[in-house]
Every structure is written in C-alpha cells, then in structure tokens.
Amino acid sequence: MPQLPSNILLATYRMAFESMSQGFCLLEKVATAAGAPSDFRYLLTNHAFEEQSGLLQVVGKTLRQVLPAVEDSIMAQFEAVALTAQPVKFEGYITSLDRWMEVQVFPITDQVPTPIGVLFTNVTPRKKDQDALRQSEEKYRTLFNSIDEAYVFCQILTDPAGQPLDYRFLEMNPAFERLTGLTIENVLDQTARQAVPGLEDSWIDTYGRVALQGETVRFERRVVALNRWYDVYAGPVGERGSGLFAVVFKDITERKRQQTHQDLLADISEAIADQGDTQEIMSIVGQKLRAVFPISSFSIWQIQSDVDEAYRGLWWSQDQLLPPEKANLLAFFSPDTIRRLRQGENIVIADTQTDAQAHAPAFHALGIGSYLGLPSSREASWKSMLAFFSPVAYDWQPDQVALLTDVMNRLLPRLERVQAEEALRASQARLSAVFESLPIGVAEVDTNGRLVLANREMQRFAPTGIVPARDPERQDRWWAYHPDGRRLVPDEYPGTRALRGERVVPGLEMLYTPEEGPAIWTRVVAVPIREDEGGMTGIVVLITDISELKQAEEALKEAGRRKDEFLAMLAHELRNPLASIRLGIGLLSWTDETDPVHQQTVRLINGQVNHLVRLVDELLDVGRISRGKILLKPERVELGALVSEAIEAIRPQYAALHKQLHLTDSPFPLFIHADSARILQVVTNLLANGLRYTGPQGQVWVNLTAQNGEAMVRVADNGIGLAQDQLEAIFELFVQVDTSLARSQGGLGLGLTLVKRLVEKHGGRVEAFSPGLGQGSEFVICLPLLEEAPKDRSSQVTTASAKPASQRILVIDDNQGLVFLLAQTLRQRGYQVHTCHSGREGLQAAEELRPGVILCDIGMPELDGYETCRVIRQQPWGQEVVLIAITGYGEEEDKQRAKQAGFDAHLVKPIDLQALISLLEELPARE
C-alpha cells in the first residue's frame, strides 16, 4: 500500500477527529505540590467536546480550574491511566455538570506519566430512564408484595406438538401463600401439577390460550384439590409465543359459599311454595340439603315440657330408615346439653363419639356421626326442634348453621300452613259427603271465587276449585249468550254477578266443554250469602246438567223441522192436482153458462177447491211462524180499506149460504203500520170463522173503532158460542170447538192460531169473548194506531191496463194434464198458447216461437225451472220475454230464488185464474 504524504494524512485525521460524535480531549498531567490533589491540563478538544460536556474554551486550562468540584473518583481514574499506561472504561456522574458520562480513557505514549486521551458520551437521558425504570420497578414490587390479591408469573409448558401440558411458577407475591395455602418455597420453579396434584385440565387449557394465543381472560373457577373458589384475571407477558403469562387472582370461596347458601335457600323456598303435601315438602328439602351437606336424615321433634322426652313428627331419611318415634333426651345428651336445649340454644355436635355434649353409645347405635339441633323458638319454653343427622363427623360452620336456621324458619311455617290446609280439605271432604247424592253440582264459594265446599258433581264443572268467572285458564270453557246472540263476557257470568250481590235465579243456560268428552249444557244458578249485618261472605252456586233436556229439545226441533219439510212437500204435492182441478173448473164455467145446474155444480166444486187451498196455506203459514220465517213488509195502510176488501171478497160465500154480513165502518180513517197482505189474511180468517160457526140464519157484524191509541176490529156472530175454558184455548194450534156443526164445516184448527200470531207480530193483541155455548162469540183485534195525518187515498190508486201483454204464450210444465187445462183456459180468453213438457223442449220452442210470456213450472226433471229461466235470459231475445213462475213451492225463499233466477212474477199452484189474467193484462207488451 503506498504511503500518503504526511500533510494529506494529517488532514484526514483532522477531518475524522472533528466529525466524531463522541467528545474527545487530550490531557497531560501537571505537577502539583506534595499532598495536593492531582490535576490535568487540556491540550486539545474536538467539536463534539462542547456538545457532550457543555464546556467552552478549556484548552490551556487545568481540569480543576474548569471543574473545581470535579469528583475525586473521576480524577483517580485519569491519574491511574497516566501513571500505568492502562486504558479504562467507566460511567460517572459529574455533579457540577449534572450529567452522566460514559468514559473511555487510554494512554497516548508508553512513557509515564503519559498524556491521556479521553473519549466520552453524555448518557444522562439513558441513566434517567434507567433510574425511572428502577424506581418504577421498586414501586410495583412494593405494590406487588403488598396487595391482597395473589400475583403469579408463569411460563406455559407444551408437548412437541405445541399443546399445553403444564405451567411453571416463576415468581409470586406473598399473598399467594395466604390465598392458596401453598408455600412459595415449595412452589417456586415447580409446575402446577407438581404443586397441586389433581389440578383440573381446564386450568392448563385456559392458561395455554393466554400464553400461546395472546388472549386475556377473566373467569371464576374452583380448584377442587384446594377446595377454594377464585376470581382470576390472566394475560400474556412479553412477545407473542414466549409462553410467559401473569395471573392475578383472589379467593372468593366465602362469597361463593354465601351465594350457594342463598341460592339453596331461594331454591328450597320456591320448590315448596306450591306444594300441598307435608311429606313431599320434607322430601324436597331433604334432597336439596343432601346435595350440599353430608346429612342422612332430618326430622321435626316435639319436646315435652314436663318430661325429658321428644316425639318425632315429620321426617326425611336418605335410606328410608324410620327414626324412632320417641327418644329419651338423657339417653343422648348430657344434662348440661339438655339444660341448654330447654333455653332454646342451638346444639352443635361435630363428632358424637368425642364431644362431651353427646352420649356416644346412643348415637353410635343409630349410625349418627354428627348432630345439629335447632329450636324453632328462642323463648324460654320452646316445644319443637329441627334436628339434622350426619353419618360422619362434620365440622358445622357458623354460616352453615345460620343457613339451616333460615331453612327452618321458612320450612316450619309452610308445613303448618299445609297441615292447616290439609285439615281444611278433610273438613270439606266430610261436609261434601252430604251433597254427593244430589244430581246437581252444589258449592259454597268464597268472595275470591274459590270453592269452600262442593260435592263431586260440582268437581266436573270446577276441577280447579275456582268458579269459571274467576278462573282465567278455564273461562273459555264456558259459553253463554245474550238474547241478541252476543257472547257473555266473564263479568256477566252468574258467579261474577252473584259476587256483586245479584241473585241469578232461575239461572242461566251455559255450554261447558270439559277436558275430555262432549260439551255439556248446564243451567247455572248463583245467589249471595249474607251475614246478619248485610255483608256478603260468599255465594252458593248450583249447576245442573241439562244435556238430556237439550237433546230432547233438539230432537223436538228436528221433529218440527221434519214436520215443516213434510208440510211443504205435502203442500207442493197437493197444489199440483188442485191446480188442475181449479183450471178444469174454470174451463167448465166458461163452456156452458146457460145451464143453472151446471153453474151451481161448478161453484160448489170451486168453493171446495178454495177451501182446500186455504187449508194448505194455513198449514204452511203456521210452520213459517213457528220457525220465525214470517217476514213482514210493513207500510202505512188504512185499516178500514183492508177490512172492506176482505168483506167484499168473502161476501159471495155468505150470500151462497144465505148468511148476513154487516159492516159498521169508522167515521174517520184508521192508519196503521202493517203488512197489508197479512192483516187482510187475519180479517179474512175471522170472517171465515164466522161463516163456518153460524147456523142457517147466521149473521156476522164487523165494527171498526179507535180507542186509547189503538185501532180496534170487532167481529161478532150469533153462532155456537164458546165456553169460558175455551176463550184462551181456541187460539192454540189444531184446537177446534168440538160440535157437530163445527165438524161439518171442516178445518184444521189453524185459522185462529194464525190470527193471534200475526196480530202479535204487528205489536197488537186479540181476545175472544162469549156469554156461553149457543150464545154467539166476539173476537176483538187491537193494533197500534198511527198519529200522522192520512194522505189522499185516491192519489195512491193506480188503474191497471186492460190490454193483454201478448197474444202468444208458452207454457212449460211436466204435468201434462195441468198444461192441457191451462192452455185451454188461456185460449178461451183469446191468447195464442203453445205447450212443452220439459225445460229442454221449452228452450227450443222459445227459440222458435219468441213468445211474449212464458209460464214455467219449477220442479221439472233434468232441467228445472230456475235453470231454464237463466238460459232464456242469456239469449239476446230472452231479455224482453216476460217469465212467470208457476209452482207448488210458495215459501219466501222460493220467491226470492225465482227472482234471482230472472222470473218477473211468482204464482203458487193452484193458480188463481183471475190473478193470472190480471197479471197478464198488467204486464207491458214486449212482443
């Protein structure tokens, strides 16, 4: 390597010297007087010298001149290097500079004393940090050693696969010994499994997650081997994967014990709260105490005040061995113990074989290792005690004795209450036997709705011992209804009403649905029970099973429904032949009008047909009223006009029998709100009744008056009269006056029944009067009178057109005889008539003929009249055709159905020819 010129080399050294970050100075030892402290002169410094030391312009000066109070220890280090030529390194604090220096001193030459070079660095920030850290460590260590919680520093130990196997104790504070019972000397550097044999794996697993996965956890857990509970906080220490972790924990065994005791007390209280059997209560308490304490049995003992004997009451035993019924206290306890028992003190015997309080042989014979006796009262004279027995010696702790005392204070009152309830139930059972033979449910109920006394039949209806109105879980099993169909709410049940002081008599029908079996119809009666002062103490409830009665009622309803169906079918079947007869009679009456015998015969036959028609109508009307299917169409009508119309209609029949019919009209109009057709029927029935029950010279007087806001119609006759016992019965169904005259006139006994029911449906009434048999009778109808001024009747009258609606008529009916007679009758009246015998034939004929009017039967095979009408109405030409239903079905529903199908009118067989002709003339021509 070539040698650099000295001038270049010197410049290089100078550049490096000045660029150093360390402070540097060159010192030489100066001569000092004997005994004086050594000193050094500054020969050279670099630029960093001033930055590191804070000293300026020191060259040529001695060190002690610059730093008079420089530490002797530092000067001694400098002098040693100058005199020995051996380099040194040290850290020192320069008080006058308030700086820590890291110093390196080395000799410059081999001669002594040699000049020395000093390299130094200001390390004051680092030293302050170290001091602060040391002080912090001292503080934390002081805290670490003084806190109540235990602190442990550990390292996890794993298997080759990295799974935690154990952990090692590296450091712990003094509280560790107090909270674990383990000494630090024996545990330090030991593993957990070595220190605590049988330690649960859950501890290793949890700390493994903390140390290896960096989790921080807080939990409560028991160390079974130590019989202690701990509240633990654990977290990782150091870098992830180091396996180091710290644990802070405290002993919560006492808290857990108290919590366990409170939980046990609450559990027992809840478990026995609803129990109603004393032995079951004892069993529940025994099983729960057995899970916490090593007891084999416990029992309640009654203490005799005059003798040293105790008598066993209720008891529980794990092995079902029955304790003795009686025990002599002197055989088991010392006299002093018995004295303390008499004073009501707790008797705690941890070991019956060593404790002086107990007589060991007596307890040994019964296999009792420890005993705890708790008096039920602290008074001087107490009479009962709760005793706990353990087969092994057991150190009863004060908190355990306190817990069992709390158990006793809750157990004994509950047992007393249950025993009282059992006694009450026994009393109720004895009293209930009196009622068991009754076929109805009978119960006395308190003001809370609970059954105090009840028979077996009542248990069917109130199995929970609570009246339905006060039992939310069973209210929906009882149904009852208002007359308008609304369901009763529980506040309207008989029991609730009676509890409010009402008398629910004769009772209310209610439907009850039991848990099993069909629903039961009942009648429920409830009345309040009152004291002499008037206060209510409860109610009496009677429930009668009326299911059989209801079934009979339903059977009657079903029989009535079938009767109505039979009557409707009978009427339909009768109307068809009657229709043919009436048409035939009409046809005969027009064929020969000159033969008087012929005309008389026709009139007689026609009268009998009209009678048969009226009988059929009356049968159907009674059925409708019975079923509530009579629908009135009330309007404002004048009663006098209706009576006059009825008289004029029936007058020919009176004339034919040479009987007189007289009318005395009201001097002013009598307006009522009524169905004119039904009032006309009422008056006609009374006039027909007078015609039937008067002799050859019979007379009937009709009188219209107004009185007390009522319109009155009086119909009197000079006929056969009525006995007094018949004045009410005459209005009943199928009742007739049983005389030869009445029977000769026929009838079913329906007319007056209809009169009464129709008048009542209009808000009126009807009465019968008679002086006696053979002296005539009088019927009086009273109807509410309207007060409004009448309108001009003439303005309401319309004149029907006499012009036929059409000359072409199509008749469709499967009754060929009826079709023939009807066609002939209409042809004689000038109509062009075509006939068909089925719905399908009628559709084809209607398509071809395009008639103006179609008379169509309803009950036809294959295609009935309703469907035939619908098909016709669907045709373009069918919109203008007049369709008239001619049928034996005359119910209101039948008329509505015909209207919905498209019929313009509805006539019931046998057809009233005059009504048919009037209808044909009134309908507008559509041809």
Side-chain angles (χ1 to χ4, degrees):
M1 180 175 179
Q3 294 292 325
L4 293 174
S6 59
N7 60 339
I8 297 175
L9 185 61
L10 181 61
T12 302
Y13 289 155
R14 169 77 53 185
M15 182 181 299
F17 178 71
E18 292 298 334
S19 64
M20 292 172 54
S21 62
Q22 289 179 294
F24 175 79
C25 63
L26 180 64
L27 303 175
E28 67 173 353
K29 184 172 172 59
V30 297
T32 58
S38 61
D39 200 357
F40 291 84
R41 180 179 290 112
Y42 288 102
L43 300 178
L44 179 69
T45 62
N46 67 351
H47 179 72
F49 177 88
E50 295 180 355
E51 293 180 358
Q52 296 290 338
S53 67
L55 300 175
L56 304 174
Q57 299 176 354
V58 298
V59 175
K61 299 178 181 179
T62 67
L63 195 151
R64 290 191 183 275
Q65 290 175 335
V66 175
L67 297 173
V70 65
E71 280 73 13
D72 291 340
S73 59
I74 294 176
M75 296 301 288
Q77 295 283 2
F78 288 174
E79 186 168 10
V81 174
L83 296 177
T84 62
Q86 297 295 320
V88 296
K89 289 183 178 181
F90 65 91
E91 286 184 354
Y93 178 71
I94 303 174
T95 304
S96 57
L97 298 178
D98 190 24
R99 296 190 183 191
W100 278 90
M101 298 294 185
E102 185 178 77
V103 183
Q104 181 178 357
V105 187
F106 54 89
I108 299 301
T109 67
D110 294 335
Q111 298 178 358
V112 294
T114 177
I116 61 175
V118 180
L119 285 171
F120 64 93
T121 304
N122 183 4
V123 295
T124 303
R126 176 169 63 81
K127 291 297 288 184
K128 288 184 177 180
D129 288 343
Q130 290 176 346
D131 288 345
L133 178 61
R134 183 178 65 256
Q135 293 174 6
S136 177
E137 287 179 351
E138 290 176 354
K139 291 179 182 178
Y140 279 111
R141 183 164 297 281
T142 300
L143 176 64
F144 172 74
N145 291 328
S146 62
I147 60 175
D148 292 334
E149 288 83 1
Y151 174 85
V152 186
F153 182 56
C154 305
Q155 184 171 31
I156 200 72
L157 304 177
T158 63
D159 61 13
Q163 297 300 314
L165 292 176
D166 205 342
Y167 58 92
R168 189 180 303 281
F169 294 107
L170 301 180
E171 188 178 4
M172 64 276 293
N173 68 347
F176 177 86
E177 289 188 347
R178 177 170 50 82
L179 297 183
T180 64
L182 304 174
T183 62
I184 296 176
E185 180 182 356
N186 293 334
V187 171
L188 194 61
D189 290 332
Q190 296 291 309
T191 69
R193 294 191 188 278
Q194 292 171 338
V196 186
L199 181 68
E200 293 81 0
D201 291 340
S202 60
W203 292 93
I204 311 297
D205 295 338
T206 300
Y207 290 151
R209 295 197 311 273
V210 173
L212 301 177
Q213 300 177 21
E215 292 186 22
T216 299
V217 296
R218 177 79 179 265
F219 58 92
E220 293 181 356
R221 190 172 297 166
R222 183 183 179 212
V223 179
V224 177
L226 301 180
N227 192 27
R228 300 196 187 197
W229 276 90
Y230 295 105
D231 180 2
V232 182
Y233 174 83
V237 177
E239 297 180 357
R240 183 181 178 89
S242 66
L244 298 176
F245 64 96
V247 180
V248 178
F249 64 90
K250 59 182 177 181
D251 188 346
I252 59 171
T253 305
E254 184 61 26
R255 192 194 81 192
K256 280 290 186 178
R257 184 198 299 268
Q258 293 297 329
Q259 180 179 332
T260 301
H261 288 179
Q262 293 302 316
D263 291 345
L264 175 63
L265 189 62
D267 187 24
I268 289 175
S269 299
E270 181 179 358
I272 67 175
D274 297 327
Q275 287 295 329
D277 181 83
T278 54
Q279 197 57 48
E280 181 64 20
I281 291 175
M282 294 292 289
S283 177
I284 290 173
V285 174
Q287 294 294 340
K288 293 186 179 297
L289 292 178
R290 172 66 183 170
V292 179
F293 303 107
I295 63 172
S296 57
S297 66
F298 79 100
S299 52
I300 300 172
W301 294 82
Q302 304 299 323
I303 309 298
Q304 297 294 321
S305 58
D306 53 345
V307 293
D308 292 328
E309 289 185 343
Y311 295 86
R312 173 183 52 78
L314 295 171
W315 62 280
W316 169 83
S317 177
Q318 178 191 12
D319 52 15
Q320 300 301 314
L321 293 177
L322 187 66
E325 292 186 1
K326 182 175 69 172
N328 190 298
L329 297 178
L330 289 172
F332 289 89
F333 304 107
S334 67
D336 182 64
T337 303
I338 297 176
R339 178 187 59 77
R340 288 168 42 229
L341 281 173
R342 295 291 186 191
Q343 294 177 353
E345 296 184 18
N346 293 334
I347 303 301
V348 182
I349 303 176
D351 189 340
T352 59
Q353 302 305 300
T354 60
D355 196 317
Q357 299 179 91
H359 290 167
F363 282 104
H364 180 74
L366 295 177
I368 299 173
S370 65
Y371 170 86
L372 174 62
L374 305 175
S376 62
S377 172
R378 295 291 179 178
E379 298 176 0
S381 59
W382 56 280
K383 296 183 179 180
S384 63
M385 175 179 63
L386 189 62
F388 298 89
F389 305 95
S390 173
V392 297
Y394 184 72
D395 186 14
W396 296 95
Q397 298 299 311
D399 64 319
Q400 296 174 330
V401 175
L403 169 65
L404 294 174
T405 301
D406 286 340
V407 171
M408 177 189 68
N409 291 335
R410 301 192 183 194
L411 172 63
L412 296 184
R414 179 59 187 162
L415 289 172
E416 292 173 359
R417 180 177 177 180
V418 171
Q419 288 173 332
E421 291 173 350
E422 289 175 345
L424 178 60
R425 286 194 294 269
S427 175
Q428 289 175 338
R430 289 192 298 271
L431 293 175
S432 295
V434 178
F435 305 106
E436 294 306 324
S437 60
L438 295 176
I440 62 174
V442 182
E444 178 186 350
V445 181
D446 64 18
T447 54
N448 294 318
R450 294 188 174 276
L451 274 61
V452 178
L453 183 64
N455 64 354
R456 182 179 299 128
E457 182 71 7
M458 179 58 75
Q459 301 303 321
R460 294 174 58 197
F461 308 113
T464 61
I466 306 175
V467 292
R470 293 296 178 88
D471 190 350
E473 296 182 359
R474 301 185 63 82
Q475 285 176 353
D476 286 342
R477 295 185 176 275
W478 293 84
W479 292 67
Y481 300 91
H482 288 281
D484 61 6
R486 290 183 296 111
R487 183 184 172 188
L488 265 65
V489 297
D491 281 346
E492 299 172 308
Y493 287 3
T496 306
R497 293 169 57 189
L499 288 170
R500 291 197 298 261
E502 297 182 41
R503 288 176 53 86
V504 187
V505 179
L508 189 68
E509 289 188 1
M510 302 188 73
L511 183 64
Y512 168 60
T513 304
E515 286 81 354
E516 298 180 359
I520 303 171
W521 274 104
T522 65
R523 178 174 291 279
V524 183
V525 174
V527 295
I529 304 173
R530 298 190 181 278
E531 299 175 331
D532 294 339
E533 295 81 5
M536 190 172 67
T537 61
I539 61 174
V540 172
V541 178
L542 293 87
I543 302 180
T544 306
D545 185 342
I546 60 171
S547 296
E548 293 184 1
L549 180 63
K550 277 289 185 179
Q551 290 171 1
E553 182 180 320
E554 289 300 320
L556 288 174
K557 290 180 179 178
E558 177 64 17
R561 185 185 63 80
R562 293 181 179 178
K563 175 203 69 177
D564 294 337
E565 291 178 353
F566 168 75
L567 290 177
M569 184 58 66
L570 176 63
H572 177 266
E573 294 302 321
L574 288 175
R575 279 175 171 153
N576 277 314
L578 285 174
S580 298
I581 295 173
R582 173 172 279 179
L583 289 172
I585 294 301
L587 187 59
L588 289 175
S589 66
W590 294 337
T591 56
D592 189 355
E593 300 180 356
T594 60
D595 186 351
V597 175
H598 176 86
Q599 291 298 320
Q600 179 66 18
T601 302
V602 168
R603 281 196 299 272
L604 290 173
I605 297 174
N606 192 51
Q608 294 301 314
V609 169
N610 290 336
H611 181 61
L612 286 173
V613 171
R614 187 170 64 254
L615 290 178
V616 171
D617 288 340
E618 288 179 349
L619 276 172
L620 291 179
D621 280 343
V622 169
R624 292 189 193 104
I625 293 177
S626 298
R627 301 194 310 273
K629 290 189 176 183
I630 285 289
L631 298 177
L632 300 180
K633 299 179 181 178
E635 58 183 346
R636 188 172 180 275
V637 297
E638 204 279 306
L639 180 60
L642 293 178
V643 173
S644 298
E645 183 179 348
I647 289 175
E648 293 307 316
I650 203 171
R651 191 180 293 279
Q653 298 182 40
Y654 273 76
L657 296 176
H658 307 290
K659 297 185 179 183
Q660 300 296 316
L661 180 55
H662 311 281
L663 171 63
T664 302
D665 203 350
S666 170
F668 48 83
L670 302 176
F671 286 94
I672 59 174
H673 189 65
D675 186 325
S676 57
R678 292 302 179 182
I679 296 300
L680 190 61
Q681 182 180 3
V682 166
V683 176
T684 301
N685 279 6
L686 289 178
L687 296 177
N689 193 70
L691 180 65
R692 183 180 300 122
Y693 292 107
T694 54
Q697 301 300 321
Q699 295 191 63
V700 174
W701 296 268
V702 181
N703 191 315
L704 275 76
T705 60
Q707 184 177 341
N708 298 326
E710 291 181 323
M712 304 178 67
V713 180
R714 297 179 178 273
V715 180
D717 63 57
N718 61 352
I720 61 175
L722 296 169
Q724 290 300 309
D725 60 352
Q726 295 175 326
L727 295 178
E728 292 291 337
I730 195 67
F731 295 107
E732 294 178 6
L733 199 61
F734 303 123
V735 171
Q736 292 180 314
V737 179
D738 190 18
T739 68
S740 57
L741 177 60
R743 296 312 308 157
S744 67
Q745 298 302 316
L748 298 176
L750 301 176
L752 291 179
T753 302
L754 283 173
V755 167
K756 179 178 176 62
R757 296 188 180 181
L758 288 173
V759 169
E760 289 175 348
K761 285 184 74 67
H762 282 81
R765 67 184 187 281
V766 61
E767 296 177 289
F769 302 93
S770 176
L773 292 176
Q775 301 180 57
S777 58
E778 181 182 33
F779 293 88
V780 180
I781 298 173
C782 299
L783 294 167
L785 192 62
L786 290 180
E787 297 179 357
E788 292 86 349
K791 294 182 181 180
D792 186 1
R793 190 185 309 157
S794 61
S795 64
Q796 301 176 359
V797 178
T798 59
T799 304
S801 173
K803 183 179 180 180
S806 174
Q807 296 299 320
R808 186 181 300 119
I809 298 176
L810 175 62
V811 180
I812 308 172
D813 198 315
D814 60 338
N815 187 331
Q816 297 186 14
L818 177 63
V819 168
F820 169 77
L821 292 171
L822 181 56
Q824 293 300 322
T825 301
L826 293 174
R827 286 171 183 147
Q828 287 193 3
R829 300 291 292 188
Y831 292 96
Q832 180 183 348
V833 183
H834 300 269
T835 61
C836 294
H837 303 300
S838 70
R840 297 191 186 280
E841 291 180 9
L843 289 175
Q844 184 176 358
E847 176 74 28
E848 296 173 354
L849 297 172
R850 305 292 174 90
V853 178
I854 298 177
L855 305 178
C856 184
D857 185 26
I858 296 298
M860 298 183 294
E862 296 185 6
L863 195 67
D864 63 18
Y866 298 126
E867 189 60 30
T868 301
C869 179
R870 291 191 188 96
V871 174
I872 291 174
R873 289 299 190 204
Q874 293 171 0
Q875 310 307 315
W877 51 266
Q879 300 298 320
E880 302 299 326
V881 178
V882 175
L883 279 158
I884 301 174
I886 298 179
T887 175
Y889 297 107
E891 297 286 341
E892 186 64 31
E893 304 94 280
D894 301 323
K895 297 178 182 178
Q896 289 296 324
R897 190 176 176 188
K899 183 178 181 180
Q900 292 170 0
F903 283 103
D904 295 296
H906 183 281
L907 296 178
V908 180
K909 298 176 182 178
I911 303 167
D912 186 333
L913 287 177
Q914 191 59 45
L916 174 60
I917 297 302
S918 298
L919 181 60
L920 292 174
E921 293 175 347
E922 291 172 2
L923 290 172
R926 299 189 182 181
E927 197 171 4

